[in-house]
Amino acid sequence: MKKYLYPILLVVFGGLAAAIFFFKKPAVRTPEFIERQGSLAAGKEWLNTKAAIEGLLAKLRTNPDDQKSRLLLAQAYMQEGRVTGNHPYYDGAAMDLLEQVLKAEPENFEALCCKSSLCLTQHHFAQGLGLAEQAVKLNPNSGFVYGLLTDANVEMGHYDEAVKMADKMNALRPDLSAYARVSYLREIYGDMPGAIQAMDMAVKAGYTGLEQTEWTRVALGHLYEVNGDTSKARLYYQMALYVRPGYAYALAGLGRMAAARKDYTRAIKLYQEARITVKDYAFADEMTDLYRLNGQPDEAKKMAEESIDMLSEAAKEADSNEQIGHYADRELAYAYLKTNELDKALEHAKIEHARRPDNIDVNETMAWVLYRRGQYAEAQKYMQVARRTGSKNPVLLCRAGLILSKLGKTAEGQALIENSLKTAPYLNPEVEAEGKKLLAAR
């Protein structure tokens, strides 16, 4: 009997070992944070943020099923992505955490809202809208979710619906975020005084020095800039930089102010400082123009190629992963225009238009790409859609004027160009040069 016992025991032991192996709960991976560098690491804010993140990581090591801590960590990582500009890492880390929360709690309202917000950040606008619509059914009394619905509807070009959602947000929670959204919608509909008023209310509703408040202050400065008031724009950029030293977006704003004075060397220096802390594609894009204006064609070419590389990498990740990765086709369309690769510009403009055919900015992109290709009648079709809300953005108006002029509607086109160049000619050097060239040919 004994000679059969040992093989039986071995089989049983092997079965138990296999069961443990196959049914053992896999370890939950928790992404770590990255130390901030330079001016971003200075001051109490990072010390407090770092301590909070370390505390959440410790809690998750002790209790991997602590979904509340996992959600808070995801929110902290989303904010770190915003502050540092390291969206590729932090957005991916936050999405991993949110997926873990939603796997355990599929109807977690906060997690759905955070995932929606993250999708919007990554330009997955349709997905972000769907998640926000799912979340609002769980909690129709949250101001935050109506903010997400406002943003998503704006990006999808559903502007009337966006206004309704912003109204609901303000009725429930009139704060910095709510006022900022009202401002953006007023700007879209061409009400610049109203947009400035609402953004000023947003700034006053925030805590001085916090990133969200200073982002809003910079946005207020930009509204003055778009409206042609460079002195007030400069003041708000300087204020943001004073209360939040090294703030990249304030530095970029002052860089545009230097460019408006044609001090391109100073403008480039300010953008270089901004890029030390935040790797934002927009900075590389604007530096391409600054190098060209400063008589540095090799540097301009290098910066344009860097912009395309940054955007292409993000777009490639987005195409391969429905959950994360930055859709960047609209930005790529403009980037390829700067390298005079018109076929590639049109390819990416069409991809973005297929995603968001009602968005006015996307239609403006299509119109401008077609204008550059000499397809003026086709460009006008998209420009009509782009102007349907009555936006008074000077760059949009100048592009519209150029298209009309090429179609023989000279008086109407030149009036738009003159108005644009009078308001804020420096906002887009390429459009400014094209506009001046056409007016000079009269």
Side-chain angles (χ1 to χ4, degrees), residues 330-371:
R330 179 168 173 259
E331 293 89 345
L332 274 167
Y334 284 121
Y336 279 121
L337 286 180
K338 290 189 177 181
T339 58
N340 207 35
E341 296 176 83
L342 303 186
D343 288 345
K344 287 184 178 180
L346 182 60
E347 175 190 343
H348 286 283
K350 283 182 174 180
I351 291 171
E352 191 66 38
H353 188 266
R355 290 193 192 109
R356 303 189 284 153
D358 297 322
N359 181 277
I360 59 173
D361 296 326
V362 174
N363 279 278
E364 179 186 357
T365 304
M366 279 292 298
W368 188 240
V369 170
L370 290 165
Y371 173 87

Side-chain angles (χ1 to χ4, degrees), residues 367 370 375-383:
L370 290 165
Q375 297 171 250
Y376 306 124
E378 191 70 12
Q380 175 61 5
K381 294 177 185 177
Y382 291 98
M383 184 54 75

Side-chain angles (χ1 to χ4, degrees), residues 134-394:
Q134 185 180 345
V136 78
K137 292 175 183 176
L138 297 172
N139 183 1
N141 298 311
S142 163
F144 182 71
V145 74
Y146 288 110
L148 295 172
L149 287 166
T150 301
D151 296 343
N153 278 295
V154 163
E155 297 298 347
M156 294 303 293
H158 310 156
Y159 301 108
D160 291 344
E161 186 65 16
V163 170
K164 293 176 186 175
M165 296 300 102
D167 286 345
K168 287 188 177 182
M169 183 183 189
N170 275 272
L172 287 165
R173 193 181 71 177
D175 60 2
L176 180 152
S177 296
Y179 296 140
R181 285 173 169 91
V182 169
S183 174
Y184 187 43
L185 284 163
R186 287 177 178 176
E187 182 186 3
I188 286 171
Y189 280 99
D191 179 9
M192 290 304 295
I196 289 170
Q197 178 192 41
M199 195 64 78
D200 182 60
M201 292 171 66
V203 172
K204 290 173 179 173
Y207 291 96
T208 299
L210 286 183
E211 195 277 335
Q212 295 93 326
T213 306
E214 301 319 313
W215 183 92
T216 306
R217 198 185 309 276
V218 168
L220 177 57
H222 189 62
L223 284 173
Y224 278 113
E225 192 180 339
V226 170
N227 212 36
D229 192 339
T230 55
S231 60
K232 282 190 177 178
R234 185 180 297 108
L235 175 64
Y236 283 107
Y237 297 145
Q238 289 171 338
M239 288 171 63
L241 197 60
Y242 176 76
V243 297
R244 193 174 179 86
Y247 190 45
Y249 298 102
L251 287 167
L254 290 173
R256 287 194 302 277
M257 296 297 91
R261 302 191 303 273
K262 301 191 184 304
D263 186 353
Y264 302 123
T265 301
R266 172 66 176 162
I268 289 168
K269 184 176 183 297
L270 286 163
Y271 271 95
Q272 287 172 335
E273 288 181 35
R275 276 167 55 86
I276 290 172
T277 54
V278 174
K279 302 299 182 189
D280 192 314
Y281 149 75
F283 296 163
D285 177 65
E286 292 180 65
M287 284 183 73
T288 301
D289 293 327
L290 291 172
Y291 279 125
R292 180 175 53 79
L293 292 166
N294 203 41
Q296 297 175 264
D298 291 343
E299 288 297 324
K301 183 174 182 292
K302 179 181 175 183
M303 194 57 63
E305 290 170 348
E306 181 180 326
S307 297
I308 290 172
D309 288 343
M310 288 171 63
L311 292 167
S312 296
E313 185 176 343
K316 190 182 297 181
E317 185 181 0
D319 288 339
S320 63
N321 186 349
E322 282 294 321
Q323 293 292 343
I324 205 71
H326 188 93
Y327 281 142
D329 291 288
R330 179 168 173 259
E331 293 89 345
L332 274 167
Y334 284 121
Y336 279 121
L337 286 180
K338 290 189 177 181
T339 58
N340 207 35
E341 296 176 83
L342 303 186
D343 288 345
K344 287 184 178 180
L346 182 60
E347 175 190 343
H348 286 283
K350 283 182 174 180
I351 291 171
E352 191 66 38
H353 188 266
R355 290 193 192 109
R356 303 189 284 153
D358 297 322
N359 181 277
I360 59 173
D361 296 326
V362 174
N363 279 278
E364 179 186 357
T365 304
M366 279 292 298
W368 188 240
V369 170
L370 290 165
Y371 173 87
R372 285 285 306 274
R373 292 171 62 88
Q375 297 171 250
Y376 306 124
E378 191 70 12
Q380 175 61 5
K381 294 177 185 177
Y382 291 98
M383 184 54 75
Q384 286 176 325
V385 179
R387 294 186 64 196
R388 78 180 195 274
T389 62
S391 170
K392 292 184 174 63
N393 183 286

